[in-house]
Amino acid sequence: MPTWNAEQYLKFGDERAQPCRDLIARIALSDPRTIVDLGSGPGNSAAMIAERWPGAEITGIDNSEEMIQTAQKAYPARQWVREDISSWAAKTDGEWDLVFTNASLQWVPDHARVFPQLLARVSPGGAFAVQMPSNLDEPAMWIPREMAASERWRRWFPKGFVDNWSVHGLPFYYDALAPLAARLELWQTRYFHIFADAGAIVEWYKGSGLRPFLDAIQQPRDREKFVSEYLEGLREHYGPQRDGKVLFPFRRIFLIAYRPAR
């Protein structure tokens, strides 16, 4: 897993918040009492969950010590636990009315195993709600992957490195969860973020998808060259609009699986 910087991640707090809010608004639970937020990051998603269900007991789980510390500082009244999502999914001690995860499971491998495990941790009548980026075919994502595989940069990246995301198409998740769910909703949305220039896309990905690449490059000078080359590649694909700003498309997939009531 990459290292995370809460301040960098929150530079685009409004843009990152909208998919989370869209997912929360779609969940058809009137009064969940226990909620777990997997990959809770700096606590912003748990805060949005609390806006809808203020009486719920919300626990945030993240494997980044920096993210947990940031969340604890911002929201000291809530419970924050440092743990890996795969390890948490494999446990059988306890059920939750809502298992919620926003932009986290793309970093977790073996979805065929993990997704049913996460639904199994939902209490009867509860829900498992997921949002994940699904934009590997966008230039902003495939450019660094091509760079990492190139002769110039491959020395920093082990074999298989570019396969560091674990996102499948919606039919895959239907097959994995439909036999176990009382009801299953799946959809995708393509957001268009308005940025000042292509450099803002670099800053966006420094807080998320670019982190594994930057972590792998040990030499600061080479890291700067990688970012510079990445920016030049972005400029070829994200040209300015008439007012000079850049439209940054970003596709995300959503699903909500409801567990049968007893």
Side-chain angles (χ1 to χ4, degrees):
M1 287 289 289
T3 59
W4 298 108
N5 182 292
E7 183 178 354
Q8 182 72 35
Y9 183 85
L10 290 172
K11 280 185 178 181
F12 299 91
D14 290 343
E15 290 85 357
R16 297 191 192 279
Q18 190 59 55
C20 185
R21 292 189 185 279
D22 292 346
L23 178 60
I24 292 169
R26 189 83 171 254
I27 300 169
L29 296 179
S30 59
D31 189 28
R33 307 310 301 168
T34 56
I35 301 174
V36 62
D37 180 14
L38 300 177
S40 52
N44 53 329
S45 53
M48 287 180 270
I49 294 170
E51 289 176 4
R52 179 169 179 192
W53 297 293
E57 177 186 322
I58 303 172
T59 299
I61 293 178
D62 201 285
N63 73 341
S64 166
E65 182 62 30
E66 179 174 349
M67 289 294 193
I68 288 294
Q69 290 180 0
T70 300
Q72 287 175 332
K73 184 177 180 179
Y75 309 100
R78 296 201 180 98
Q79 182 177 9
W80 306 101
V81 179
R82 185 181 181 188
E83 187 171 0
D84 177 79
I85 292 176
S86 293
S87 300
W88 188 90
K91 294 181 178 179
T92 57
D93 55 336
E95 295 179 336
W96 304 75
D97 295 338
L98 173 60
V99 174
F100 182 93
T101 175
N102 178 68
S104 297
L105 292 182
Q106 71 272 17
W107 300 110
V108 178
D110 197 1
H111 284 189
R113 173 183 58 84
V114 171
F115 272 57
Q117 287 179 331
L118 291 173
L119 180 57
R121 299 216 60 182
V122 175
S123 58
F128 169 41
V130 180
Q131 182 274 121
M132 293 183 292
S134 180
N135 63 330
L136 286 176
D137 57 347
E138 289 287 346
M141 285 299 294
W142 60 252
I143 288 173
R145 294 160 69 86
E146 285 194 350
M147 289 172 59
S150 70
E151 183 176 354
R152 179 179 179 182
W153 292 104
R154 68 177 60 147
R155 69 188 181 96
W156 291 112
F157 304 101
K159 185 177 180 181
F161 176 88
V162 296
D163 299 320
N164 55 19
W165 269 30
S166 301
V167 180
H168 305 275
L170 288 174
F172 170 93
Y173 297 107
Y174 179 87
D175 288 341
L177 296 174
L180 308 172
R183 181 160 61 95
L184 184 59
E185 298 181 27
L186 308 100
W187 73 98
Q188 66 179 13
T189 301
R190 197 180 191 204
Y191 297 85
F192 282 81
H193 302 304
I194 302 172
F195 286 166
D197 52 32
I201 301 176
V202 176
E203 292 303 308
W204 168 283
Y205 272 117
K206 279 183 179 179
S208 56
L210 204 60
R211 287 253 47 90
F213 297 92
L214 300 183
D215 287 349
I217 301 173
Q218 300 299 312
Q219 294 295 332
R221 181 174 298 179
D222 283 349
R223 196 179 302 124
E224 292 174 5
K225 289 180 179 179
F226 189 91
V227 170
S228 178
E229 187 174 319
Y230 176 54
L231 175 58
E232 290 305 308
L234 291 177
R235 285 173 174 157
E236 295 180 10
H237 296 275
Y238 300 95
Q241 300 299 119
R242 290 179 179 177
D243 63 357
K245 294 183 179 179
V246 167
L247 291 180
F248 176 43
F250 202 107
R251 188 173 63 251
R252 297 177 183 270
I253 61 174
F254 301 77
L255 68 88
I256 305 173
Y258 295 90
R259 192 169 178 194
R262 285 199 181 103

